[in-house]
Every structure is written in structure tokens, then in C-alpha cells.
Coordinates of all heavy atoms in Angstrom, one line a residue:
M139 N 0.4 -1.9 -3.0 CA 1.0 -1.4 -4.2 C 0.5 -2.0 -5.4 O 0.1 -1.4 -6.4 CB 2.5 -1.4 -4.0 CG 3.2 -1.0 -5.3 SD 5.0 -0.8 -5.1 CE 5.5 -2.5 -5.3
Y140 N 0.6 -3.4 -5.5 CA 0.2 -4.1 -6.7 C -1.3 -4.0 -6.9 O -1.8 -4.1 -8.0 CB 0.7 -5.5 -6.6 CG 0.1 -6.4 -5.5 CD1 -1.1 -7.0 -5.7 CD2 0.8 -6.5 -4.3 CE1 -1.7 -7.7 -4.7 CE2 0.2 -7.3 -3.3 CZ -1.0 -7.9 -3.5 OH -1.5 -8.6 -2.5
Q141 N -2.1 -3.8 -5.8 CA -3.5 -3.7 -5.9 C -4.0 -2.5 -6.7 O -4.9 -2.6 -7.5 CB -4.2 -3.7 -4.6 CG -4.1 -5.1 -3.9 CD -4.7 -5.1 -2.5 OE1 -5.1 -4.0 -2.0 NE2 -4.9 -6.2 -1.9
K142 N -3.2 -1.4 -6.6 CA -3.6 -0.2 -7.4 C -3.3 -0.5 -8.8 O -4.1 0.0 -9.7 CB -2.7 1.0 -6.9 CG -3.2 1.5 -5.5 CD -2.3 2.7 -5.2 CE -2.8 3.2 -3.8 NZ -2.0 4.4 -3.4
K143 N -2.2 -1.2 -9.2 CA -1.9 -1.5 -10.5 C -3.0 -2.4 -11.1 O -3.4 -2.2 -12.3 CB -0.5 -2.1 -10.7 CG 0.6 -1.1 -10.4 CD 1.9 -1.7 -10.5 CE 3.0 -0.7 -10.2 NZ 4.4 -1.3 -10.4
I144 N -3.4 -3.4 -10.4 CA -4.4 -4.3 -10.9 C -5.7 -3.6 -11.1 O -6.4 -3.8 -12.1 CB -4.6 -5.5 -9.9 CG1 -3.4 -6.4 -9.8 CG2 -5.8 -6.3 -10.2 CD1 -3.4 -7.4 -8.7
K145 N -6.1 -2.7 -10.2 CA -7.3 -1.9 -10.3 C -7.2 -1.0 -11.6 O -8.2 -0.9 -12.3 CB -7.5 -1.1 -9.1 CG -8.8 -0.3 -9.1 CD -9.0 0.4 -7.8 CE -10.3 1.2 -7.8 NZ -10.5 1.9 -6.6
R146 N -6.1 -0.4 -11.8 CA -5.9 0.5 -13.0 C -6.0 -0.3 -14.3 O -6.7 0.1 -15.2 CB -4.6 1.2 -12.9 CG -4.4 2.2 -14.0 CD -3.2 3.1 -13.8 NE -2.3 2.6 -12.8 CZ -1.0 2.4 -13.0 NH1 -0.4 2.5 -14.1 NH2 -0.2 2.0 -12.0
I147 N -5.4 -1.5 -14.3 CA -5.5 -2.3 -15.5 C -6.9 -2.8 -15.7 O -7.4 -2.8 -16.8 CB -4.5 -3.5 -15.4 CG1 -3.1 -3.0 -15.5 CG2 -4.8 -4.5 -16.4 CD1 -2.0 -4.1 -15.1
A148 N -7.6 -3.2 -14.6 CA -9.0 -3.7 -14.7 C -9.9 -2.6 -15.2 O -10.8 -2.8 -16.1 CB -9.5 -4.2 -13.4
I149 N -9.7 -1.3 -14.8 CA -10.5 -0.2 -15.2 C -10.3 0.1 -16.7 O -11.2 0.2 -17.5 CB -10.3 1.0 -14.4 CG1 -10.9 0.8 -13.0 CG2 -10.9 2.3 -15.0 CD1 -10.5 1.9 -12.0
Q150 N -9.0 0.1 -17.1 CA -8.7 0.3 -18.5 C -9.3 -0.7 -19.4 O -9.9 -0.5 -20.5 CB -7.2 0.4 -18.7 CG -6.6 1.7 -18.1 CD -5.1 1.7 -18.2 OE1 -4.5 0.6 -18.5 NE2 -4.5 2.8 -17.8
A151 N -9.2 -2.0 -19.0 CA -9.7 -3.1 -19.8 C -11.3 -3.0 -19.8 O -11.9 -3.3 -20.9 CB -9.3 -4.4 -19.2
A152 N -11.9 -2.7 -18.7 CA -13.4 -2.6 -18.7 C -13.9 -1.4 -19.6 O -14.9 -1.6 -20.3 CB -13.8 -2.3 -17.3
V153 N -13.2 -0.3 -19.6 CA -13.6 0.8 -20.5 C -13.4 0.3 -22.0 O -14.3 0.6 -22.8 CB -12.7 2.0 -20.2 CG1 -12.9 3.1 -21.3 CG2 -13.1 2.6 -18.9
L154 N -12.3 -0.3 -22.3 CA -12.1 -0.8 -23.7 C -13.2 -1.8 -24.0 O -13.8 -1.8 -25.1 CB -10.7 -1.4 -23.8 CG -10.4 -2.0 -25.2 CD1 -10.4 -0.9 -26.2 CD2 -9.0 -2.7 -25.1
L155 N -13.5 -2.7 -23.1 CA -14.5 -3.7 -23.3 C -15.9 -3.1 -23.6 O -16.6 -3.6 -24.4 CB -14.5 -4.7 -22.2 CG -15.5 -5.9 -22.3 CD1 -15.1 -6.8 -23.5 CD2 -15.5 -6.7 -21.0
F156 N -16.2 -2.1 -22.8 CA -17.5 -1.4 -23.0 C -17.6 -0.9 -24.4 O -18.6 -1.1 -25.1 CB -17.6 -0.2 -22.0 CG -18.8 0.7 -22.2 CD1 -20.0 0.3 -21.7 CD2 -18.7 1.8 -23.0 CE1 -21.1 1.1 -21.9 CE2 -19.8 2.6 -23.2 CZ -21.0 2.3 -22.7
F157 N -16.6 -0.2 -24.9 CA -16.7 0.4 -26.3 C -16.7 -0.7 -27.3 O -17.4 -0.6 -28.3 CB -15.6 1.4 -26.5 CG -15.8 2.7 -25.8 CD1 -15.0 3.0 -24.7 CD2 -16.8 3.5 -26.2 CE1 -15.2 4.2 -24.0 CE2 -17.1 4.7 -25.5 CZ -16.3 5.1 -24.4
V158 N -15.9 -1.8 -27.1 CA -15.9 -2.9 -28.1 C -17.3 -3.5 -28.2 O -17.9 -3.8 -29.2 CB -14.8 -3.9 -27.8 CG1 -15.0 -5.2 -28.6 CG2 -13.5 -3.3 -28.0
M159 N -17.9 -3.8 -27.0 CA -19.2 -4.4 -26.9 C -20.3 -3.5 -27.5 O -21.2 -4.0 -28.2 CB -19.6 -4.8 -25.5 CG -18.7 -6.0 -25.0 SD -19.2 -6.6 -23.4 CE -20.8 -7.3 -23.7
A160 N -20.2 -2.2 -27.3 CA -21.2 -1.3 -27.8 C -21.1 -1.2 -29.3 O -22.1 -1.2 -30.0 CB -20.9 0.1 -27.2
V161 N -19.9 -1.2 -29.9 CA -19.7 -1.1 -31.3 C -20.2 -2.4 -32.0 O -20.9 -2.4 -33.0 CB -18.3 -0.9 -31.7 CG1 -18.0 -1.1 -33.2 CG2 -17.9 0.5 -31.3
V162 N -19.9 -3.6 -31.3 CA -20.4 -4.8 -31.9 C -21.9 -4.9 -31.8 O -22.6 -5.3 -32.8 CB -19.8 -6.0 -31.1 CG1 -20.5 -7.3 -31.4 CG2 -18.3 -6.1 -31.4
G163 N -22.6 -4.4 -30.7 CA -24.0 -4.4 -30.7 C -24.6 -3.5 -31.7 O -25.6 -3.8 -32.3
W164 N -24.0 -2.3 -31.9 CA -24.5 -1.4 -32.9 C -24.4 -2.0 -34.3 O -25.2 -1.8 -35.1 CB -23.7 -0.1 -32.8 CG -24.0 0.9 -33.8 CD1 -25.1 1.7 -33.9 CD2 -23.2 1.2 -35.0 NE1 -25.1 2.5 -35.0 CE2 -23.9 2.2 -35.7 CE3 -21.9 0.8 -35.4 CZ2 -23.3 2.8 -36.8 CZ3 -21.4 1.4 -36.5 CH2 -22.1 2.3 -37.3
A165 N -23.2 -2.7 -34.6 CA -23.0 -3.3 -35.9 C -24.0 -4.4 -36.1 O -24.4 -4.7 -37.3 CB -21.6 -3.8 -36.0
C166 N -24.5 -5.0 -35.1 CA -25.5 -6.1 -35.2 C -26.9 -5.5 -35.4 O -27.9 -6.3 -35.5 CB -25.4 -7.0 -34.1 SG -23.9 -8.0 -34.1
G167 N -27.1 -4.2 -35.3 CA -28.4 -3.6 -35.5 C -29.2 -3.5 -34.2 O -30.4 -3.2 -34.3
L168 N -28.6 -3.5 -33.0 CA -29.4 -3.4 -31.8 C -29.7 -1.9 -31.5 O -29.0 -1.0 -32.0 CB -28.6 -4.0 -30.6 CG -28.4 -5.5 -30.7 CD1 -27.5 -5.9 -29.5 CD2 -29.7 -6.3 -30.7
S169 N -30.7 -1.6 -30.7 CA -31.0 -0.3 -30.4 C -29.9 0.3 -29.5 O -29.2 -0.5 -28.8 CB -32.3 -0.2 -29.6 OG -32.2 -0.8 -28.4
P170 N -29.7 1.6 -29.4 CA -28.7 2.2 -28.6 C -28.8 1.9 -27.1 O -27.8 1.6 -26.4 CB -28.8 3.7 -28.8 CG -29.4 3.8 -30.2 CD -30.3 2.6 -30.3
G171 N -30.1 1.8 -26.6 CA -30.3 1.5 -25.2 C -29.8 0.0 -24.9 O -29.2 -0.2 -23.9
T172 N -30.2 -0.9 -25.8 CA -29.8 -2.3 -25.6 C -28.3 -2.4 -25.7 O -27.6 -3.1 -24.9 CB -30.4 -3.2 -26.7 OG1 -31.8 -3.0 -26.6 CG2 -30.1 -4.6 -26.5
C173 N -27.6 -1.7 -26.7 CA -26.2 -1.7 -26.8 C -25.5 -1.3 -25.5 O -24.6 -1.9 -25.0 CB -25.7 -0.9 -28.0 SG -26.1 -1.5 -29.6
S174 N -26.0 -0.1 -25.0 CA -25.3 0.4 -23.8 C -25.5 -0.4 -22.6 O -24.6 -0.6 -21.8 CB -25.8 1.9 -23.6 OG -27.2 1.9 -23.3
A175 N -26.7 -1.0 -22.4 CA -27.0 -1.8 -21.3 C -26.1 -3.1 -21.3 O -25.5 -3.4 -20.3 CB -28.5 -2.2 -21.2
R176 N -26.1 -3.7 -22.4 CA -25.3 -4.9 -22.5 C -23.8 -4.6 -22.4 O -23.0 -5.4 -21.8 CB -25.6 -5.6 -23.8 CG -26.9 -6.3 -23.9 CD -27.2 -7.0 -25.2 NE -28.5 -7.5 -25.2 CZ -29.0 -8.2 -26.2 NH1 -28.3 -8.5 -27.3 NH2 -30.3 -8.7 -26.2
A177 N -23.4 -3.5 -23.0 CA -22.0 -3.1 -22.9 C -21.6 -2.8 -21.4 O -20.5 -3.2 -21.0 CB -21.7 -2.0 -23.8
L178 N -22.5 -2.1 -20.7 CA -22.2 -1.8 -19.3 C -22.1 -3.1 -18.5 O -21.2 -3.2 -17.6 CB -23.3 -0.9 -18.8 CG -23.1 -0.4 -17.4 CD1 -21.8 0.4 -17.2 CD2 -24.3 0.4 -16.9
L179 N -23.1 -4.0 -18.7 CA -23.0 -5.3 -17.9 C -21.7 -6.0 -18.2 O -21.1 -6.6 -17.3 CB -24.3 -6.1 -18.2 CG -25.6 -5.6 -17.6 CD1 -26.7 -6.4 -18.1 CD2 -25.5 -5.6 -16.1
G180 N -21.4 -6.1 -19.5 CA -20.2 -6.8 -19.9 C -18.9 -6.1 -19.3 O -18.0 -6.8 -18.9
A181 N -18.9 -4.8 -19.3 CA -17.7 -4.1 -18.7 C -17.6 -4.3 -17.2 O -16.5 -4.5 -16.7 CB -17.8 -2.6 -19.0
C182 N -18.8 -4.3 -16.5 CA -18.7 -4.6 -15.1 C -18.3 -6.0 -14.8 O -17.4 -6.3 -13.9 CB -20.1 -4.4 -14.5 SG -20.6 -2.7 -14.4
A183 N -18.8 -7.0 -15.6 CA -18.3 -8.4 -15.4 C -16.8 -8.5 -15.7 O -16.1 -9.2 -15.0 CB -19.2 -9.3 -16.3
G184 N -16.4 -7.8 -16.8 CA -15.0 -7.9 -17.1 C -14.1 -7.3 -16.1 O -13.0 -7.8 -15.7
Y185 N -14.5 -6.2 -15.5 CA -13.8 -5.5 -14.4 C -13.6 -6.5 -13.2 O -12.5 -6.7 -12.7 CB -14.5 -4.3 -14.0 CG -13.9 -3.6 -12.7 CD1 -12.7 -2.9 -12.8 CD2 -14.5 -3.8 -11.5 CE1 -12.2 -2.4 -11.6 CE2 -14.0 -3.3 -10.3 CZ -12.8 -2.5 -10.4 OH -12.2 -2.0 -9.3
V186 N -14.7 -7.1 -12.8 CA -14.7 -8.0 -11.7 C -13.8 -9.2 -12.0 O -13.0 -9.6 -11.1 CB -16.1 -8.5 -11.3 CG1 -16.1 -9.6 -10.3 CG2 -16.9 -7.3 -10.7
L187 N -13.9 -9.8 -13.2 CA -13.1 -10.9 -13.5 C -11.7 -10.6 -13.6 O -10.8 -11.3 -13.1 CB -13.6 -11.4 -14.9 CG -13.0 -12.7 -15.4 CD1 -13.4 -13.9 -14.5 CD2 -13.4 -13.0 -16.8
I188 N -11.3 -9.5 -14.2 CA -9.9 -9.1 -14.4 C -9.3 -8.8 -13.0 O -8.1 -9.2 -12.7 CB -9.7 -7.9 -15.3 CG1 -10.1 -8.4 -16.8 CG2 -8.3 -7.4 -15.3 CD1 -10.3 -7.2 -17.7
R189 N -10.0 -8.1 -12.2 CA -9.5 -7.8 -10.9 C -9.3 -9.0 -10.0 O -8.3 -9.2 -9.4 CB -10.4 -6.8 -10.2 CG -9.8 -6.2 -8.9 CD -10.3 -4.8 -8.7 NE -9.6 -4.3 -7.5 CZ -10.1 -3.5 -6.6 NH1 -11.3 -3.0 -6.8 NH2 -9.4 -3.1 -5.6
S190 N -10.2 -9.9 -10.1 CA -10.1 -11.2 -9.3 C -9.0 -12.0 -9.8 O -8.2 -12.6 -9.0 CB -11.4 -12.0 -9.4 OG -12.5 -11.3 -8.9
A191 N -8.9 -12.2 -11.1 CA -7.8 -12.9 -11.7 C -6.4 -12.3 -11.4 O -5.5 -13.1 -11.1 CB -8.0 -13.1 -13.2
G192 N -6.3 -11.0 -11.5 CA -5.1 -10.4 -11.1 C -4.6 -10.6 -9.7 O -3.5 -10.9 -9.4
Q193 N -5.6 -10.5 -8.8 CA -5.2 -10.8 -7.4 C -4.9 -12.2 -7.2 O -3.9 -12.6 -6.4 CB -6.4 -10.4 -6.5 CG -6.6 -8.9 -6.4 CD -7.8 -8.5 -5.6 OE1 -8.6 -9.3 -5.2 NE2 -7.9 -7.2 -5.3
L194 N -5.5 -13.1 -7.9 CA -5.2 -14.6 -7.8 C -3.8 -14.8 -8.3 O -3.0 -15.6 -7.6 CB -6.2 -15.4 -8.5 CG -6.0 -16.9 -8.5 CD1 -6.2 -17.4 -7.1 CD2 -7.0 -17.6 -9.4
V195 N -3.4 -14.2 -9.4 CA -2.1 -14.4 -10.0 C -1.0 -13.9 -9.0 O 0.0 -14.6 -8.8 CB -2.0 -13.8 -11.4 CG1 -0.6 -13.7 -11.8 CG2 -2.8 -14.5 -12.4
I196 N -1.3 -12.7 -8.4 CA -0.3 -12.2 -7.5 C -0.1 -13.1 -6.3 O 1.0 -13.3 -5.8 CB -0.7 -10.8 -7.1 CG1 -0.7 -9.8 -8.3 CG2 0.1 -10.2 -5.9 CD1 0.7 -9.6 -8.8
R197 N -1.3 -13.6 -5.8 CA -1.2 -14.5 -4.6 C -0.4 -15.8 -4.9 O 0.4 -16.2 -4.1 CB -2.6 -14.9 -4.1 CG -3.2 -13.7 -3.4 CD -4.6 -14.2 -2.9 NE -5.3 -13.0 -2.4 CZ -6.6 -12.9 -2.2 NH1 -7.4 -14.0 -2.5 NH2 -7.2 -11.9 -1.7
V198 N -0.6 -16.3 -6.1 CA 0.1 -17.5 -6.5 C 1.6 -17.2 -6.6 O 2.4 -18.0 -6.2 CB -0.5 -18.1 -7.8 CG1 0.4 -19.2 -8.4 CG2 -1.9 -18.7 -7.6
L199 N 1.9 -16.1 -7.2 CA 3.3 -15.8 -7.4 C 4.0 -15.5 -6.1 O 5.2 -16.0 -5.9 CB 3.5 -14.5 -8.3 CG 3.1 -14.8 -9.8 CD1 3.2 -13.4 -10.5 CD2 4.1 -15.8 -10.4
I200 N 3.4 -14.8 -5.2 CA 3.9 -14.5 -3.9 C 4.1 -15.8 -3.1 O 5.1 -16.1 -2.5 CB 3.1 -13.5 -3.1 CG1 3.3 -12.1 -3.7 CG2 3.5 -13.5 -1.6 CD1 2.4 -11.1 -3.1
S201 N 3.1 -16.7 -3.2 CA 3.2 -18.0 -2.5 C 4.4 -18.8 -3.0 O 5.1 -19.4 -2.3 CB 1.9 -18.8 -2.7 OG 2.0 -20.1 -2.1
A202 N 4.6 -18.8 -4.3 CA 5.7 -19.6 -4.9 C 7.0 -19.0 -4.5 O 8.0 -19.7 -4.2 CB 5.5 -19.6 -6.5
L203 N 7.1 -17.7 -4.5 CA 8.3 -17.0 -4.0 C 8.7 -17.3 -2.6 O 9.8 -17.6 -2.3 CB 8.2 -15.5 -4.2 CG 9.4 -14.7 -3.8 CD1 10.6 -15.0 -4.8 CD2 9.1 -13.2 -3.9
V204 N 7.7 -17.3 -1.7 CA 7.9 -17.6 -0.3 C 8.3 -19.1 -0.2 O 9.2 -19.4 0.6 CB 6.6 -17.3 0.5 CG1 6.7 -17.9 1.9 CG2 6.4 -15.8 0.6
D205 N 7.6 -20.0 -0.9 CA 8.0 -21.4 -0.8 C 9.4 -21.6 -1.3 O 10.2 -22.4 -0.7 CB 7.1 -22.3 -1.6 CG 5.7 -22.4 -1.0 OD1 5.5 -22.0 0.2 OD2 4.7 -22.8 -1.7
D206 N 9.8 -21.0 -2.3 CA 11.2 -21.1 -2.9 C 12.2 -20.6 -1.8 O 13.2 -21.2 -1.6 CB 11.3 -20.3 -4.2 CG 12.7 -20.5 -4.8 OD1 13.1 -21.6 -5.0 OD2 13.3 -19.4 -5.1
Q207 N 11.9 -19.5 -1.2 CA 12.9 -18.9 -0.2 C 13.0 -19.8 1.0 O 14.0 -20.0 1.5 CB 12.4 -17.5 0.2 CG 12.5 -16.5 -0.9 CD 14.0 -16.2 -1.3 OE1 14.9 -16.3 -0.5 NE2 14.2 -16.1 -2.6
L208 N 11.8 -20.4 1.4 CA 11.9 -21.3 2.6 C 12.7 -22.6 2.2 O 13.4 -23.1 3.1 CB 10.4 -21.7 3.0 CG 9.7 -20.7 3.7 CD1 8.2 -21.1 3.9 CD2 10.3 -20.4 5.1
R209 N 12.5 -23.1 1.0 CA 13.2 -24.3 0.6 C 14.7 -24.0 0.6 O 15.6 -24.8 1.0 CB 12.8 -24.7 -0.8 CG 13.4 -26.0 -1.2 CD 12.7 -26.6 -2.5 NE 12.1 -25.7 -3.4 CZ 12.8 -25.0 -4.4 NH1 14.1 -25.2 -4.5 NH2 12.1 -24.2 -5.2
R210 N 15.1 -22.8 0.0 CA 16.5 -22.4 0.0 C 17.1 -22.3 1.4 O 18.2 -22.7 1.7 CB 16.7 -21.1 -0.8 CG 16.5 -21.3 -2.2 CD 16.8 -20.0 -2.9 NE 16.5 -20.1 -4.4 CZ 16.8 -19.1 -5.2 NH1 17.4 -18.0 -4.8 NH2 16.5 -19.3 -6.5
Y211 N 16.3 -21.7 2.3 CA 16.8 -21.5 3.7 C 17.0 -22.9 4.4 O 17.9 -23.1 5.1 CB 15.7 -20.7 4.4 CG 16.1 -20.5 5.9 CD1 17.1 -19.6 6.2 CD2 15.4 -21.2 6.9 CE1 17.4 -19.3 7.6 CE2 15.7 -21.0 8.2 CZ 16.7 -20.1 8.6 OH 17.0 -19.9 9.9
Q212 N 16.0 -23.8 4.1 CA 16.1 -25.1 4.8 C 17.3 -25.9 4.2 O 18.0 -26.6 4.9 CB 14.8 -25.9 4.6 CG 13.7 -25.4 5.4 CD 12.4 -26.0 5.1 OE1 12.3 -26.8 4.1 NE2 11.3 -25.7 5.9
D213 N 17.5 -25.8 2.8 CA 18.7 -26.5 2.2 C 20.0 -25.9 2.8 O 20.9 -26.7 3.0 CB 18.6 -26.3 0.7 CG 17.5 -27.1 0.1 OD1 16.9 -28.0 0.8 OD2 17.2 -26.8 -1.1
R214 N 20.1 -24.6 3.0 CA 21.3 -24.0 3.5 C 21.6 -24.4 4.9 O 22.7 -24.7 5.3 CB 21.1 -22.5 3.4 CG 22.4 -21.7 3.6 CD 22.2 -20.3 3.4 NE 20.8 -19.9 3.4 CZ 20.3 -18.7 3.0 NH1 21.1 -17.8 2.6 NH2 19.1 -18.4 3.1
N215 N 20.5 -24.6 5.7 CA 20.7 -25.0 7.1 C 21.0 -26.5 7.2 O 21.7 -26.9 8.2 CB 19.5 -24.6 7.9 CG 19.4 -23.2 8.2 OD1 20.4 -22.4 8.1 ND2 18.2 -22.7 8.5
Q216 N 20.5 -27.3 6.3 CA 20.8 -28.7 6.4 C 22.1 -29.1 5.8 O 22.7 -30.1 6.2 CB 19.7 -29.5 5.7 CG 18.4 -29.5 6.4 CD 17.2 -30.2 5.6 OE1 17.5 -30.6 4.5 NE2 16.1 -30.2 6.2
G217 N 22.6 -28.4 4.8 CA 23.8 -28.8 4.1 C 24.9 -28.0 4.5 O 26.0 -28.0 4.7

């Protein structure tokens, strides 16, 4: 369930990053081919980075939640 949300956010951010990078390249006077190639590479890298970071954050949060629940369970059984 959360993987679909992470993927959707990563795609939206990559599309936005593509256009931002293309406009910046165009404003710097680069050729359209160069702008689009660099923007595409940047968007792909951004997608991979955002998706990986999102999954890492989810794993850390789930691990912390499980650890907290285990600690509460052990405290309840000991006390």
C-alpha cells in the first residue's frame, strides 16, 4: 500500500524536477537537446533517489513501531 504512494510521489517529483532542470538549462543558454538530456538524467536520478529514500524511511518507521510494541509487551509481562 505505501509503496504505491511512494512511487506516485517519486513520479510527481521526477516530472517536476525534469521541467525545472530543463528551464534552468534553457536559461543558461544550452541547446534544447542538451537541456532535455540533462533534465531526463536528473529526473531519473531523482526518481530513484526519492523512491529509495521513501522506502528507507518507511522501513525505519515500521522497525521503530515494532520495537516500541515489543518493549511495551515485555514491560507489561514483567511488571
Side-chain angles (χ1 to χ4, degrees):
M139 175 172 78
Y140 63 86
Q141 290 180 350
K142 288 183 181 180
K143 290 182 181 181
I144 293 172
K145 185 177 180 181
R146 185 172 9 126
I147 291 169
I149 289 171
Q150 291 172 350
V153 169
L154 179 64
L155 183 61
F156 173 82
F157 285 110
V158 168
M159 289 183 71
V161 169
V162 168
W164 175 73
C166 291
L168 297 175
S169 70
T172 303
C173 289
S174 62
R176 290 182 182 179
L178 183 61
L179 288 174
C182 290
Y185 171 78
V186 170
L187 184 68
I188 292 168
R189 191 147 183 213
S190 300
Q193 289 177 351
L194 180 65
V195 167
I196 294 297
R197 287 182 186 160
V198 167
L199 290 174
I200 289 174
S201 176
L203 180 64
V204 168
D205 289 345
D206 184 54
Q207 291 296 324
L208 285 173
R209 187 172 25 88
R210 287 184 186 187
Y211 178 76
Q212 288 173 352
D213 290 345
R214 192 174 18 193
N215 286 341
Q216 290 177 356

